[in-house]
Amino acid sequence: MRLASYIKQSLTVFVLCFGLVAVTYASNSIDSVRIWPAPENTRIVFDLSGKPDFKYFPLQSPHRLVIDFKNSKNNAALMSAINADRRVKKIRTSTSKTKGSTRLVLELAEDFRISVFPLAPAGQYGDRLVIDLYDKKSQHIEKHDNNQGKRDIVIAIVAGHGGEDPGSIGAAGTYEKRVTLKIAQKLADLIDKKPGLKAVMIRSGDYYVDHNRKTELARKSKADLLISIHADAFTSSKPNGASVLVQATRRADSEFTRWIENREKNSELLGGAGETIRNTKDNNLAIALADMKKEYTMASSYDFAEHVVKQLKKVTKLHKKKPERLSLAVLKSSDIPSVLIETGFISNPQEEKRLNNTQHQQKLAKAIYTAIDDYFAHNAPDGTLVAKARVREHKISSGESLSVVAQRYKISVNQLKSANNLKSNVVRIGQTLKIPQAD
């Protein structure tokens, strides 16, 4: 009896232990997969029931990425999310060498730079494993010259959030990333209709662009201004109104310090003085030149922000009546004047409704465009079509002649006479002349 009882107890323990082992093998599950194609990369996101325990390795001929999920089972429809992505040809299962693991194979179109990392639960999402496939060839950046021999003023527009990052979500389910993209697209359309202005969309679809990459793309496009569009949110539904933000002085100084420490690498960030800053052995000269660039950029950012505030208050309530300085990653570039515009509080039910309204989005875009147009009417960079079209004036003082004025502005006497419909070279004290742009 004792032997039979012992055997029975041992079998019970064995079954329980075996059952626990079986459960352990499937302690996690792959529940779904989402794919976010972008111009330069594709992001693949696996949604999991728990924190992933994984290993991965690439294979060649053909190009593949193999991922082993330990103690996991697959419940996802792997091919349902691919659609027409040009980088991922197929996602399939394969046999893992580790018992209880699930092996997934991504069949790739070519050799990509690969980044794989887990993400903890946040917002509406649980545990995730993210795979980023980056093109090895850089995105082509078009030149913005026009047929009149003068370049366009380039405005880089960042639609906040995107892809895996929805931004804030309103009570009615409005995603910030969708509102910002619609306003950005409307703004870009207005800009592109103006001769001499050119919009560059940093994000043109539903995908995420890293903060560092945003400024890199703006810089490659030779942007004269960067505008980041967002919708604000708060724990309370009461706050409302738009705000315009610029970089905090402390954050700008921190970025500036990093530039100077590695100025040879970062000389392209410093405009026309970049080569001098890189090559000089005089640290004081390098710091002085770079500091002048930083101060100009910060002053220009604030000046433009004031133009935006002036126009926004005509179409919506303001949360902040003056530009506010905050430490923001997207505004960290010390070589491109940059602002972040909070178009309203998506957490406020009334503003959420307005932010979803096409006509209100158009009004916001038009206000921002008007600020751009007004600002560059007086601050157009040299060599641009807008600068060429800008009318300057000069009042004749004692001792000045047409030839003196022409020499001062580096134009010919004939150009001066033509612009002012003058029949002779005679001018009088106090007379105001229009000064054309030099060819």
Side-chain angles (χ1 to χ4, degrees):
M1 288 294 292
R2 289 182 179 179
L3 179 60
S5 177
Y6 175 77
I7 293 173
K8 185 177 180 180
Q9 290 176 356
S10 297
L11 285 171
T12 302
V13 171
F14 174 77
V15 169
L16 289 172
C17 290
F18 181 79
L20 287 172
V21 171
V23 171
T24 302
Y25 281 155
S27 62
N28 204 348
S29 63
I30 305 164
D31 297 328
S32 63
V33 58
R34 290 171 287 121
I35 294 183
W36 307 96
E40 292 189 316
N41 68 286
T42 291
R43 171 164 287 191
I44 304 101
V45 182
F46 292 102
D47 294 299
L48 302 145
S49 62
K51 184 177 180 181
D53 185 356
F54 65 96
K55 292 182 179 180
Y56 69 94
F57 54 91
L59 293 173
Q60 307 294 323
S61 302
H63 298 294
R64 287 154 291 163
L65 176 64
V66 180
I67 309 168
D68 286 330
F69 293 85
K70 189 176 180 181
N71 299 329
S72 301
K73 62 180 179 179
N74 177 52
N75 295 327
L78 297 176
M79 289 297 293
S80 63
I82 287 184
N83 294 326
D85 182 68
R86 68 178 178 83
R87 298 179 181 90
V88 184
K89 296 164 63 177
K90 186 176 182 179
I91 305 178
R92 59 179 172 83
T93 58
S94 185
T95 303
S96 174
K97 293 182 179 180
T98 305
K99 189 174 181 180
S101 293
T102 291
R103 170 168 288 186
L104 298 185
V105 179
L106 279 67
E107 296 183 6
L108 308 178
E110 58 185 80
D111 188 21
F112 297 104
R113 185 163 52 85
I114 298 171
S115 175
V116 182
F117 56 93
L119 283 178
Q124 63 179 333
Y125 298 120
D127 284 289
R128 290 153 289 168
L129 184 69
V130 177
I131 297 95
D132 282 331
L133 306 174
Y134 294 96
D135 295 339
K136 289 194 171 181
K137 293 182 180 179
S138 299
Q139 182 181 10
H140 172 69
I141 300 297
E142 60 181 305
K143 293 183 178 179
H144 304 293
D145 295 326
N146 49 61
N147 57 12
Q148 298 189 41
K150 300 292 182 180
R151 75 171 181 88
D152 292 329
I153 292 174
V154 180
I155 317 298
I157 306 173
V158 178
H161 308 283
E164 182 69 5
D165 176 11
S168 299
I169 303 174
T174 303
Y175 282 23
E176 181 184 358
K177 67 175 183 177
R178 294 172 184 164
V179 169
T180 61
L181 183 58
K182 288 179 180 178
I183 296 172
Q185 288 169 334
K186 289 175 171 58
L187 175 59
D189 288 343
L190 291 169
I191 290 171
D192 286 338
K193 289 177 182 177
K194 171 78 173 184
L197 298 182
K198 177 66 179 178
V200 171
M201 291 284 287
I202 300 301
R203 173 171 80 88
S204 58
D206 190 9
Y207 53 87
Y208 180 76
V209 181
D210 179 80
H211 287 314
N212 289 332
R213 191 59 183 152
K214 291 171 185 174
T215 51
E216 286 175 11
L217 290 172
R219 191 172 292 116
K220 284 187 176 182
S221 298
K222 300 189 182 300
D224 299 284
L225 177 67
L226 183 148
I227 299 174
S228 185
I229 298 175
H230 286 256
D232 219 335
F234 194 64
T235 52
S236 166
S237 62
K238 292 182 180 180
N240 60 12
S243 305
V244 184
L245 312 176
V246 295
Q247 189 63 283
T249 303
R250 180 177 294 182
R251 179 66 177 265
D253 288 344
S254 175
E255 293 299 324
F256 170 72
T257 300
R258 278 195 282 270
W259 280 17
I260 293 302
E261 287 176 351
N262 194 8
R263 65 175 184 259
E264 182 174 344
K265 177 182 177 182
N266 295 326
S267 64
E268 75 278 5
L269 310 183
L270 301 168
E275 285 300 311
T276 302
I277 293 169
R278 181 180 69 179
N279 295 326
T280 183
K281 295 180 180 180
D282 186 337
N283 283 335
N284 291 329
L285 175 59
I287 291 171
L289 290 172
D291 190 51
M292 287 171 63
K293 178 69 174 178
K294 181 200 70 173
E295 292 299 326
Y296 169 79
T297 300
M298 293 189 68
S300 299
S301 299
Y302 195 88
D303 188 7
F304 174 69
E306 289 184 312
H307 279 74
V308 179
V309 169
K310 178 182 177 181
Q311 297 302 324
L312 281 177
K313 71 180 181 181
K314 297 177 183 179
V315 300
T316 192
K317 181 180 177 181
L318 293 180
H319 184 65
K320 298 287 185 180
K321 295 182 179 180
K322 292 183 178 181
E324 185 177 11
R325 295 191 183 277
L326 286 179
S327 179
L328 300 163
V330 73
L331 303 181
K332 72 176 186 176
S333 176
S334 296
D335 58 318
I336 306 173
S338 307
V339 301
L340 187 149
I341 302 171
E342 299 281 11
T343 53
F345 277 79
I346 205 169
S347 53
N348 179 288
Q350 288 75 34
E351 280 204 328
E352 179 186 6
K353 186 176 180 179
R354 284 196 293 273
L355 288 169
N356 267 314
N357 183 277
T358 300
Q359 291 181 339
H360 185 66
Q361 293 170 357
Q362 188 66 37
K363 287 180 181 179
L364 292 168
K366 183 63 182 296
I368 300 168
Y369 163 76
T370 303
I372 294 169
D373 197 30
D374 288 349
Y375 174 76
F376 283 114
H378 301 92
N379 299 280
D382 291 337
T384 61
L385 183 62
V386 175
K388 181 179 180 181
R390 184 179 64 215
V391 176
R392 292 180 294 176
E393 294 182 341
H394 177 89
K395 184 177 287 188
I396 299 295
S397 301
S398 177
E400 288 186 325
S401 63
L402 275 184
S403 60
V404 169
V405 176
Q407 185 176 10
R408 173 177 175 178
Y409 292 100
K410 297 180 180 179
I411 56 177
S412 68
V413 170
N414 286 336
Q415 284 178 298
L416 258 182
K417 292 172 69 174
S418 176
N420 291 277
N421 296 317
L422 298 177
K423 303 299 182 182
S424 70
N425 292 347
V426 178
V427 290
R428 64 183 185 277
I429 296 174
Q431 182 178 354
T432 300
L433 299 179
K434 294 179 181 178
I435 308 299
Q437 290 292 319
D439 293 331

